[in-house]
Amino acid sequence: MTEFVVFLCAESPLHAGASDSEGVIDLPIQREVHTRYPTVYGQSLKGAWRQAAEERVSYSASGSGARWKESDVHALFGSPVSQRQATTPGLVSVGDAQLVALPVPTLQRTFAWATSSLALSRLARKYKTVGITVPAAVPTNPAEAVATDTDWSGRQALGPLVLDVHATAGQQSRLLAEWARRISTQAFDDDAAFEWFSTKFARDLVLVDGEAMTTLVQECTEVSVRVQLNENKTVANGPFHSEYLPAETVLACSLHLRPAPGRTEVDQHHVDLLRDLLHGSGCVLHRIGGDETLGKGLVWTRLASEEG
């Protein structure tokens, strides 16, 4: 089996919808039950990536040089649902995308990325599955928050909270800085278009305690109020409230590729196809979740590697 770690960076607000309404929010996002952290279920990702792979088959037919064939889509993502014949599972297993860092509004530098020991520990486990060296021990924060840059020292407004941020040259700040540098090189392409975001992430990552993170992941999402109009441009349904993960949210998921039936080794052609689909020349823009016609759900994907 071959494993990958896939980073996802939201280019626009992302709505991966949950099954039930929640409080005043009619269309909430997917969340973990035990932590309330936002997530994107593996089945949502797999469906979106299957559609992207099918589109590449069309590009190949038009002579654009793409390497995808319909048989490749069926092999990797499973055969289409059919009532006439048995379906076969795909060779790709996609894990849930778990939160790495959430952008939160601040009074300094517009916004910072908030993370937690839990989020970084989960990323460390994903690194281990693919053999990537963990950059450092996961930092802990005996205070309310720890930052990578000394400009964050003192009382800081992070979303609805005001926290005491420690950003001295102490051990926890140094450990967090190592994690910030690693993630910034792996989650963001080294193209000039991403340089500002990569630099900012390394400088403006803040580790908050578990209680504060639980508040931030519930209070720092976007909620949009919408109505549905009829042909006379009057309200037919609504208003209803939709929740979104904000742009610049960083998540990561694990992806597993199995050998084809009867074989002991993974087909290198399948590995190359997944790299083309999820990494391309450095990153690939995908559509994930709902409200595509509103420009929502644009997400950059990029594969992690030892060298970034």
Side-chain angles (χ1 to χ4, degrees):
M1 182 178 292
T2 299
E3 292 85 13
F4 303 88
V5 171
V6 186
F7 276 100
L8 301 94
C9 298
E11 171 72 13
S12 65
L14 168 63
H15 176 80
S19 57
D20 298 316
S21 60
E22 193 169 286
V24 298
I25 299 178
D26 303 288
L27 300 171
I29 59 174
Q30 297 165 359
R31 290 183 182 272
E32 298 173 349
V33 173
H34 58 307
T35 66
R36 305 303 298 158
Y37 280 27
T39 186
V40 180
Y41 297 153
Q43 59 264 35
S44 299
L45 296 174
K46 191 173 183 179
W49 291 338
R50 181 193 181 98
Q51 180 178 345
E54 291 173 342
E55 291 174 354
R56 279 164 168 73
V57 174
S58 300
Y59 300 155
S60 179
S62 65
S64 63
R67 296 169 293 172
W68 284 85
K69 299 178 181 179
E70 187 174 356
S71 58
D72 296 323
V73 178
H74 296 173
L76 291 174
F77 295 99
S79 58
V81 176
S82 172
Q83 296 180 347
R84 298 181 179 180
Q85 58 186 9
T87 57
T88 56
L91 302 177
V92 171
S93 298
V94 183
D96 295 347
Q98 296 177 318
L99 183 68
V100 174
L102 180 76
V104 298
T106 62
L107 297 179
Q108 177 171 259
R109 296 178 180 169
T110 308
F111 74 96
W113 277 276
T115 190
S116 66
S117 297
L118 172 62
L120 295 182
S121 296
R122 286 174 162 179
L123 183 57
R125 289 192 309 200
K126 290 181 176 63
Y127 281 160
K128 184 173 179 61
T129 63
V130 299
I132 297 177
T133 303
V134 175
V138 174
T140 58
N141 47 317
E144 293 179 340
V146 175
T148 58
D149 193 292
T150 55
D151 287 350
W152 290 100
S153 294
R155 302 288 286 176
Q156 297 288 344
L158 298 173
L161 304 177
V162 178
L163 302 178
D164 186 14
V165 181
H166 290 237
T168 61
Q171 180 186 20
Q172 301 308 316
S173 292
R174 289 197 298 269
L175 293 176
L176 182 61
E178 291 184 46
W179 275 97
R181 284 192 294 268
R182 170 64 68 86
I183 296 170
S184 69
T185 60
Q186 294 200 335
F188 301 97
D189 190 5
D190 56 6
D191 186 89
F194 297 89
E195 182 178 359
W196 185 89
F197 296 96
S198 178
T199 301
K200 180 175 176 61
F201 190 95
R203 185 183 62 177
D204 295 340
L205 182 64
V206 179
L207 181 84
V208 303
D209 65 27
E211 183 177 349
M213 192 66 179
T214 300
T215 298
L216 293 177
V217 297
Q218 297 187 87
E219 298 295 334
C220 292
T221 56
E222 296 183 14
V223 177
S224 173
V225 181
R226 297 171 52 199
V227 296
Q228 183 180 24
L229 302 181
N230 58 27
E231 59 184 11
N232 297 321
K233 302 302 181 182
T234 58
V235 176
N237 295 294
F240 55 91
H241 299 73
S242 298
E243 185 180 21
Y244 300 89
L245 271 176
E248 320 312 337
T249 299
V250 180
L251 307 103
C253 75
S254 297
L255 186 147
H256 306 277
L257 175 62
R258 299 184 298 275
R263 303 187 60 175
T264 58
E265 299 292 332
V266 169
D267 191 331
Q268 184 60 42
H269 176 61
H270 292 160
V271 175
D272 293 340
L273 288 175
L274 288 177
R275 286 177 176 159
D276 170 73
L277 181 68
L278 301 175
H279 193 83
S281 60
C283 61
V284 181
L285 189 63
H286 286 276
R287 300 185 303 274
I288 297 173
D291 294 339
E292 292 182 4
T293 58
L294 302 178
K296 310 297 186 183
L298 296 176
V299 178
W300 295 99
T301 64
R302 178 172 164 85
L303 299 180
S305 66
E306 185 70 51
E307 58 276 356

Coordinates of all heavy atoms in Angstrom, one line a residue, residues 118-167:
L118 N -3.6 19.4 19.7 CA -4.4 18.3 19.1 C -4.2 18.3 17.5 O -3.9 17.3 16.9 CB -5.8 18.4 19.4 CG -6.8 17.4 18.7 CD1 -6.4 16.0 19.0 CD2 -8.2 17.7 19.1
A119 N -4.4 19.5 16.9 CA -4.3 19.5 15.5 C -2.9 19.2 15.0 O -2.8 18.5 14.0 CB -4.7 21.0 15.0
L120 N -1.9 19.7 15.6 CA -0.5 19.4 15.2 C -0.2 17.9 15.5 O 0.6 17.3 14.7 CB 0.5 20.3 15.9 CG 0.4 21.8 15.6 CD1 1.4 22.6 16.3 CD2 0.5 22.0 14.0
S121 N -0.7 17.3 16.6 CA -0.4 15.9 16.9 C -1.0 15.0 15.8 O -0.5 14.0 15.4 CB -1.0 15.6 18.3 OG -0.3 16.3 19.3
R122 N -2.2 15.4 15.4 CA -2.8 14.6 14.3 C -2.0 14.7 13.0 O -1.9 13.7 12.3 CB -4.2 15.1 14.0 CG -5.2 14.7 15.1 CD -6.6 15.4 14.9 NE -7.6 14.8 15.6 CZ -8.9 15.2 15.6 NH1 -9.3 16.2 14.9 NH2 -9.8 14.5 16.3
L123 N -1.5 15.9 12.7 CA -0.6 16.0 11.5 C 0.6 15.2 11.7 O 1.1 14.6 10.7 CB -0.3 17.5 11.3 CG 0.5 17.8 10.0 CD1 -0.2 17.3 8.8 CD2 0.8 19.3 9.9
A124 N 1.2 15.1 12.9 CA 2.4 14.3 13.1 C 2.1 12.8 12.8 O 3.0 12.1 12.3 CB 2.8 14.5 14.6
R125 N 0.9 12.4 13.2 CA 0.6 11.0 12.9 C 0.5 10.7 11.4 O 0.9 9.7 10.9 CB -0.7 10.6 13.6 CG -0.6 10.5 15.1 CD -1.9 9.8 15.7 NE -3.1 10.4 15.3 CZ -4.2 10.3 16.0 NH1 -4.3 9.6 17.1 NH2 -5.3 10.9 15.6
K126 N -0.1 11.7 10.7 CA -0.2 11.5 9.3 C 1.2 11.5 8.7 O 1.5 10.7 7.7 CB -1.0 12.7 8.7 CG -2.5 12.6 9.0 CD -3.2 13.8 8.3 CE -4.7 13.7 8.6 NZ -5.1 13.8 10.0
Y127 N 2.1 12.3 9.1 CA 3.5 12.3 8.6 C 4.1 10.9 8.8 O 4.8 10.4 8.0 CB 4.3 13.3 9.4 CG 4.2 14.8 8.9 CD1 4.5 15.8 9.7 CD2 3.7 15.0 7.6 CE1 4.4 17.2 9.2 CE2 3.5 16.3 7.1 CZ 3.9 17.4 8.0 OH 3.8 18.7 7.5
K128 N 3.8 10.3 10.0 CA 4.4 9.1 10.3 C 4.0 8.0 9.4 O 4.7 7.1 9.0 CB 4.1 8.7 11.8 CG 4.8 7.4 12.2 CD 4.5 7.1 13.7 CE 5.2 5.8 14.2 NZ 6.7 5.8 13.9
T129 N 2.7 8.0 9.0 CA 2.2 7.0 8.1 C 2.9 7.0 6.7 O 2.9 5.9 6.1 CB 0.7 7.2 7.8 OG1 0.4 8.4 7.2 CG2 -0.1 7.1 9.2
V130 N 3.4 8.1 6.3 CA 4.0 8.2 5.0 C 5.5 8.3 5.1 O 6.2 8.5 4.1 CB 3.5 9.4 4.2 CG1 2.0 9.3 3.9 CG2 3.8 10.7 4.8
G131 N 6.1 8.2 6.3 CA 7.5 8.2 6.5 C 8.1 9.6 6.4 O 9.4 9.7 6.2
I132 N 7.4 10.7 6.6 CA 7.9 12.0 6.7 C 8.4 12.3 8.1 O 7.7 12.1 9.1 CB 6.9 13.1 6.2 CG1 6.5 12.8 4.8 CG2 7.4 14.5 6.4 CD1 5.4 13.8 4.3
T133 N 9.6 12.9 8.2 CA 10.2 13.2 9.5 C 9.4 14.3 10.2 O 9.1 15.3 9.5 CB 11.6 13.6 9.4 OG1 12.4 12.6 8.7 CG2 12.2 13.9 10.7
V134 N 9.0 14.1 11.4 CA 8.3 15.1 12.1 C 9.2 16.2 12.5 O 10.4 16.0 13.0 CB 7.7 14.5 13.4 CG1 7.0 15.6 14.3 CG2 6.6 13.5 13.1
P135 N 8.9 17.5 12.2 CA 9.9 18.6 12.3 C 10.4 18.8 13.7 O 11.5 19.2 14.0 CB 9.2 19.8 11.8 CG 7.7 19.5 11.9 CD 7.6 18.0 11.7
A136 N 9.5 18.5 14.7 CA 9.9 18.8 16.1 C 8.8 18.1 17.0 O 7.8 17.7 16.5 CB 10.0 20.3 16.4
A137 N 9.1 18.1 18.3 CA 8.0 17.7 19.2 C 6.8 18.7 19.1 O 7.0 19.9 18.8 CB 8.6 17.7 20.7
V138 N 5.7 18.1 19.3 CA 4.5 19.0 19.3 C 4.5 19.9 20.5 O 4.6 19.5 21.6 CB 3.2 18.2 19.3 CG1 2.0 19.1 19.4 CG2 3.1 17.3 18.0
P139 N 4.4 21.3 20.3 CA 4.5 22.2 21.4 C 3.2 22.1 22.2 O 2.1 21.8 21.8 CB 4.6 23.6 20.7 CG 4.0 23.4 19.4 CD 4.3 21.9 19.0
T140 N 3.4 22.4 23.5 CA 2.3 22.5 24.4 C 2.2 24.0 24.9 O 3.2 24.7 24.8 CB 2.4 21.6 25.6 OG1 3.6 21.9 26.3 CG2 2.4 20.1 25.2
N141 N 1.1 24.4 25.4 CA 1.0 25.8 25.8 C 0.5 25.9 27.2 O -0.7 25.9 27.4 CB 0.1 26.6 24.8 CG -1.2 25.9 24.5 OD1 -1.2 24.7 24.3 ND2 -2.3 26.6 24.5
P142 N 1.4 26.0 28.2 CA 0.9 26.1 29.6 C 0.2 27.5 29.8 O -0.6 27.6 30.6 CB 2.2 26.1 30.4 CG 3.3 26.5 29.4 CD 2.8 26.0 28.1
A143 N 0.5 28.5 28.9 CA -0.2 29.7 29.0 C -1.5 29.6 28.1 O -1.8 28.5 27.5 CB 0.7 30.9 28.5
E144 N -2.2 30.7 27.8 CA -3.3 30.7 27.0 C -3.0 30.5 25.5 O -3.7 29.9 24.8 CB -4.2 32.0 27.2 CG -4.8 32.1 28.6 CD -5.6 33.4 28.8 OE1 -5.3 34.3 28.0 OE2 -6.4 33.4 29.7
A145 N -1.9 31.1 25.1 CA -1.5 31.0 23.7 C 0.0 31.2 23.5 O 0.7 31.8 24.3 CB -2.2 32.0 22.9
V146 N 0.6 30.6 22.5 CA 2.0 30.7 22.1 C 2.0 31.1 20.6 O 1.3 30.6 19.8 CB 2.7 29.4 22.4 CG1 4.2 29.5 21.9 CG2 2.7 29.0 23.8
A147 N 2.9 32.0 20.3 CA 3.1 32.4 18.9 C 4.5 32.3 18.4 O 5.4 32.0 19.2 CB 2.7 33.9 18.8
T148 N 4.7 32.4 17.1 CA 6.0 32.2 16.5 C 6.8 33.5 16.4 O 8.0 33.5 16.2 CB 5.8 31.6 15.1 OG1 5.0 32.5 14.3 CG2 5.2 30.2 15.1
D149 N 6.1 34.6 16.5 CA 6.7 35.9 16.3 C 6.5 36.8 17.6 O 5.4 36.8 18.1 CB 6.1 36.6 15.1 CG 6.9 37.8 14.6 OD1 7.0 38.8 15.4 OD2 7.5 37.8 13.5
T150 N 7.6 37.5 18.0 CA 7.5 38.3 19.2 C 6.5 39.4 19.1 O 6.1 40.0 20.1 CB 8.9 38.8 19.6 OG1 9.4 39.5 18.5 CG2 9.9 37.6 19.9
D151 N 6.2 39.8 17.9 CA 5.2 40.9 17.8 C 3.8 40.5 18.4 O 3.0 41.4 18.6 CB 5.0 41.3 16.3 CG 6.2 42.0 15.7 OD1 7.0 42.4 16.6 OD2 6.3 42.2 14.5
W152 N 3.6 39.2 18.6 CA 2.3 38.8 19.1 C 2.3 38.8 20.6 O 1.3 38.4 21.3 CB 1.9 37.4 18.6 CG 1.6 37.4 17.1 CD1 2.4 37.0 16.1 CD2 0.4 37.8 16.6 NE1 1.7 37.2 14.9 CE2 0.5 37.6 15.2 CE3 -0.9 38.3 17.1 CZ2 -0.6 37.9 14.3 CZ3 -1.9 38.5 16.2 CH2 -1.8 38.4 14.8
S153 N 3.4 39.1 21.3 CA 3.5 39.0 22.7 C 2.5 40.0 23.4 O 2.3 41.1 22.9 CB 4.9 39.4 23.2 OG 5.8 38.4 22.8
G154 N 1.9 39.5 24.5 CA 0.9 40.3 25.2 C -0.5 39.9 25.0 O -0.8 38.8 24.5
R155 N -1.4 40.7 25.4 CA -2.8 40.5 25.3 C -3.2 40.7 23.9 O -3.0 41.8 23.3 CB -3.6 41.3 26.3 CG -3.3 41.2 27.7 CD -3.8 39.8 28.3 NE -5.2 39.8 28.5 CZ -5.9 38.8 28.8 NH1 -5.3 37.6 29.1 NH2 -7.2 38.8 29.0
Q156 N -3.8 39.7 23.2 CA -4.2 39.8 21.8 C -5.6 39.4 21.6 O -6.1 38.4 22.2 CB -3.3 39.0 20.9 CG -1.8 39.4 21.0 CD -1.6 40.7 20.2 OE1 -2.4 41.1 19.4 NE2 -0.4 41.3 20.4
A157 N -6.3 40.1 20.7 CA -7.7 39.7 20.4 C -7.6 38.7 19.2 O -7.0 39.0 18.2 CB -8.5 40.9 19.9
L158 N -8.1 37.5 19.5 CA -8.2 36.4 18.5 C -9.6 36.1 18.3 O -10.2 35.4 19.2 CB -7.4 35.2 18.9 CG -5.9 35.4 19.1 CD1 -5.2 34.2 19.7 CD2 -5.2 35.8 17.8
G159 N -10.3 36.5 17.2 CA -11.7 36.3 17.1 C -12.4 37.0 18.2 O -12.2 38.1 18.6
P160 N -13.3 36.2 18.9 CA -14.1 36.8 20.0 C -13.3 36.8 21.4 O -13.9 37.2 22.4 CB -15.3 35.9 20.1 CG -14.8 34.6 19.6 CD -13.8 34.9 18.6
L161 N -12.1 36.2 21.4 CA -11.4 36.0 22.6 C -10.3 37.0 22.7 O -9.7 37.6 21.7 CB -10.8 34.6 22.7 CG -11.8 33.4 22.5 CD1 -11.0 32.1 22.5 CD2 -12.8 33.5 23.6
V162 N -9.9 37.3 24.0 CA -8.7 38.1 24.3 C -7.8 37.2 25.1 O -8.1 36.8 26.2 CB -9.0 39.4 25.0 CG1 -7.7 40.1 25.4 CG2 -9.9 40.3 24.2
L163 N -6.6 36.8 24.5 CA -5.8 35.8 25.2 C -4.4 36.4 25.5 O -3.9 37.3 24.8 CB -5.6 34.6 24.3 CG -6.9 33.9 23.9 CD1 -6.5 32.7 22.9 CD2 -7.6 33.4 25.1
D164 N -3.8 35.9 26.5 CA -2.4 36.3 26.8 C -1.4 35.4 26.0 O -1.3 34.2 26.2 CB -2.2 36.0 28.3 CG -0.8 36.5 28.8 OD1 -0.2 37.3 28.0 OD2 -0.4 36.2 29.9
V165 N -0.8 36.0 25.0 CA 0.1 35.3 24.1 C 1.5 35.4 24.5 O 2.0 36.5 24.7 CB -0.1 35.9 22.6 CG1 0.8 35.1 21.7 CG2 -1.6 35.8 22.2
H166 N 2.2 34.3 24.6 CA 3.6 34.2 24.9 C 4.4 34.0 23.5 O 4.1 33.0 22.8 CB 3.9 33.1 25.9 CG 3.4 33.4 27.2 ND1 4.3 33.5 28.3 CD2 2.2 33.7 27.7 CE1 3.6 33.8 29.4 NE2 2.3 33.9 29.0
A167 N 5.3 34.9 23.2 CA 6.0 34.7 22.0 C 7.5 35.1 22.2 O 8.1 35.8 21.4 CB 5.4 35.6 20.9

